[in-house]
Amino acid sequence: RLGPELEICGYGCSDHYYESDTLLHSFQVLAKLLESPVTQDIICDVGMPVLHRNVRYNCRVIFLNKKILLIRPKISLANAGNYRELRWFTPWNKARHVEEYFLPRIIQEVTGQETVPFGDAVLATKDTCLGAEICEELWAPNSPHIEMGLDGVEIFTNSSGSHHVLRKAHSRVDLVNSATAKNGGVYILANQKGCDGDRLYYDGCAMISMNGETVAQGSQFSLDDVEVLVATLDLEDVRSYRAEISSRNLAASKVNPYPRVKVNFALSCSDDVAVPTCMPIQWRHHSPEEEISLGPACWLWDYLRRSNQAGFLLPLSGGIDSSATACIVYSMCHQVCLAVKNGNADVLADARKIVSDETYVPEDPREFCRRIFTTCYMASENSSQDTCNRAKLLAEQIGSCHISLNIDAAVKAIVGIFSMVTGRTPRFSVYGGSSRENLALQNVQARIRMVVAYLFAQLTLWTRGVPGGLLVLGSANVDESLRGYLTKYDCSSADINPIGGISKTDLKNFIQYCIENFQLTALRSIMSAPPTAELEPLVDGQVAQTDEADMGMTYAELSIYGKLRKIAKAGPYSMFCKLINMWKEICTPREVASKVKHFFRMYSINRHKMTTLTPSYHAENYSPDDNRFDLRPFLYNTTWSWQFRCIDEQVNALYFFQLTQFAQIQQQ
């Protein structure tokens, strides 16, 4: 039995790992597991932090029949992106070395053992040999399974704490299958599933692989708290597979052996000849659109049920972003109804608790959506009738409880206070106002919407005589956050944001997916409308303001900037160098330079907004989330004087080179 990484306390404990309470409670749980009848006659591999000689290690504790066989500390710690394991743990740097670990009294009383092996070792049962890897070690260039396999280990286990990122699952599957393709063997991977109290969603995908092929696949997204994946395999297939790999056998004859912990136990029995074994299967990957539909939906459900709130409130503008957020909530309702239909008693109990009805059974997603989801269209004099109608129609089709209101009175009151104090009245630019006046009047509308959203979230259910409050959902996409195209503390400021790590391009594809799979025809007009904030006055009743014109760049360009900045780790000059080749068919070097400068200027001016960004579902590796993922300054010299000068020099050099070439051609 293999479970995910640090499963006893939870992977997301963060600085709670410093607390002795976390260690104490982990051992208390371990004692309960050792005593439990369900753990008898099965080798159990569980994860927890362990303090050895006053050093904290991320460990696997492997036990059998109330006896601890081995404590195996993690060798390669995850310390990039969202991971900070080196902050709390120390890697085990003593390869193939085992020490004595003195057990705490609460464990000694159960096992009767004073000390157990602690270190880099493998288990030798009567019929095979098992070795453990822990999450990051699979991704390391010198993965332990390589040397363990050469030393005769036939079954590898991997306890993982791997989070969901769009289009990532295939890389994990490929790594596992390639591990057993090169060296033979059985590889078992167990991964966390669900929200562990943070921005990440751990997406399961438990799997069992043998000799390069998948034989069992767990679900990637589901509302089940527990999933058990099993397979029956023939170890003789591993031995036969390895027999003809001469390069492997030559390397194995020279390998430095691992310490072996002898286990008087067999995984097979003498009369299992007729037991059928599992055959290879084809791994089924979700499309990115399916991942957006399922991953954030499961994350929202975990957040809702654990926060003890009664539902969600979403400012629904009739645009792509807020509509995508609404569709994710609707998808969540689908998942809840499906889980209840399939007999998930835990989901049913949670749903009844959320709606405060002990007899309720969620069967229809639209009906459940109406109980837990309130959408709110907050119009101003700058809002068009088209967006109002689009929001209303979508709300009707998903079943949300929809509210339409007008914020003009509140806007005029706030501006009136300013005018009364200063004697000056700001005007929009179309009426002769300056850019400062224009921006301030837009921001007032956006911030009032945030205040109104929270007021309705707290009191809407009170007006209906229903207990509880609503979580406010944000709907700023990852590209807008990167560019800073949002008002600080506007209606994108919310409790949580399911699309904050998803690009505009992917959201458009997701909207198309919802049209086809949920039959939400209201989304067609939303897809065809140009994205707009609707914060400036209409012209002849029509929207004159568009997002891309305001930003000075397209959403497609923004995605490229984001990937180069974060994933490729490019500063202004490096980004320019990459883009002059990438865009050579559509832009001159001088145009590329102008675009890159504009992006970095806007990025640095608005970087401070990331410090107050609503906690968002992490879905992209170029997320600008300041809190855990993108650790960069928020106060910049926005002139980028040195970097921009380097770009200008390179542009001039390129033009000089082109002129020289042209002159040489003319001479010829």
Side-chain angles (χ1 to χ4, degrees), residues 122 127 162 172 177 179 240 248 353 416 423 460 504 577 593 657:
V122 296
D127 48 3
S162 182
R172 192 188 301 146
N177 283 335
S240 299
R248 179 230 168 244
K353 182 180 178 183
T460 293
K504 191 80 163 189
C577 292
F657 176 72

Side-chain angles (χ1 to χ4, degrees), residues 2-7 11 60 74 83 133-136 138-139 157-163 168 172 188-193 202 204:
L2 174 74
E5 186 174 13
L6 292 167
E7 58 183 311
Y11 185 82
R60 304 305 299 176
K74 192 171 183 179
Y83 298 103
E133 285 192 323
I134 306 176
C135 197
E136 177 72 10
L138 170 63
W139 304 76
T157 64
N158 188 301
S159 49
S160 193
S162 182
H163 67 281
K168 173 188 172 184
R172 192 188 301 146
I188 307 168
L189 182 141
N191 187 28
Q192 295 229 50
K193 187 192 292 185
Y202 298 94

Side-chain angles (χ1 to χ4, degrees), residues 35 47 101 144 167 175 217 229 251 303 363 378 380 384 393 421 424 444 479 532 561-562 580 594 635 658:
E35 292 175 323
Y101 177 77
R167 305 172 180 88
L175 278 171
Q217 172 188 354
L229 197 66
Y303 204 101
E363 296 174 335
M378 293 180 267
S380 74
S384 66
L393 183 57
V421 172
R424 302 285 299 276
V444 166
D479 297 327
T532 173
Y561 297 146
I580 56 175
S594 177
L635 179 61
Q658 290 172 350

Side-chain angles (χ1 to χ4, degrees), residues 332-346:
M332 183 200 80
C333 294
H334 263 275
Q335 296 304 306
V336 169
C337 292
L338 181 63
V340 170
K341 182 180 178 181
N342 292 335
N344 191 318
D346 292 331

Side-chain angles (χ1 to χ4, degrees), residues 6 39 107 151 188 222 235 389 523 529 602 631 657 665:
L6 292 167
T39 63
I107 303 300
D151 193 31
I188 307 168
S222 82
L235 290 172
N389 293 340
L523 295 172
M602 292 300 102
L631 305 181
F657 176 72
I665 292 170

Side-chain angles (χ1 to χ4, degrees), residues 24-183:
L24 168 66
H25 300 323
S26 295
F27 272 113
Q28 289 172 335
V29 171
L30 178 62
K32 294 287 186 183
L33 292 172
L34 286 163
E35 292 175 323
S36 173
V38 302
T39 63
Q40 303 309 299
D41 295 324
I42 180 171
I43 294 177
C44 294
D45 182 336
V46 300
M48 59 180 278
V50 177
L51 191 70
H52 175 55
R53 298 181 181 177
N54 288 348
V55 179
R56 278 179 178 78
Y57 294 97
N58 174 350
C59 293
R60 304 305 299 176
V61 179
I62 307 171
F63 62 89
L64 169 69
N65 293 337
K66 296 186 179 181
K67 300 289 183 184
I68 294 176
L69 305 173
L70 172 68
I71 299 178
R72 201 284 203 176
K74 192 171 183 179
I75 296 167
S76 299
L77 299 186
N79 212 59
N82 288 290
Y83 298 103
R84 301 285 180 275
E85 288 182 19
L86 280 170
R87 180 179 174 91
W88 309 296
F89 302 112
T90 300
W92 182 255
N93 290 315
K94 303 174 184 178
R96 296 170 177 78
H97 177 75
V98 174
E99 299 175 353
E100 277 190 320
Y101 177 77
F102 289 81
L103 292 170
R105 283 174 294 178
I106 57 172
I107 303 300
Q108 289 185 29
E109 291 169 1
V110 177
T111 67
Q113 301 166 290
E114 285 189 359
T115 62
V116 295
F118 184 103
D120 186 19
V122 296
L123 301 180
T125 66
K126 289 181 176 181
D127 48 3
T128 188
C129 190
L130 297 89
E133 285 192 323
I134 306 176
C135 197
E136 177 72 10
E137 293 169 3
L138 170 63
W139 304 76
N142 57 340
S143 296
H145 70 255
I146 299 170
E147 291 287 306
M148 287 193 293
L150 294 175
D151 193 31
V153 173
E154 295 177 327
I155 300 175
F156 311 97
T157 64
N158 188 301
S159 49
S160 193
S162 182
H163 67 281
H164 172 238
V165 173
L166 292 177
R167 305 172 180 88
K168 173 188 172 184
H170 70 89
S171 58
R172 192 188 301 146
V173 175
D174 291 346
L175 278 171
V176 170
N177 283 335
S178 66
T180 58
K182 291 185 298 182
N183 209 352

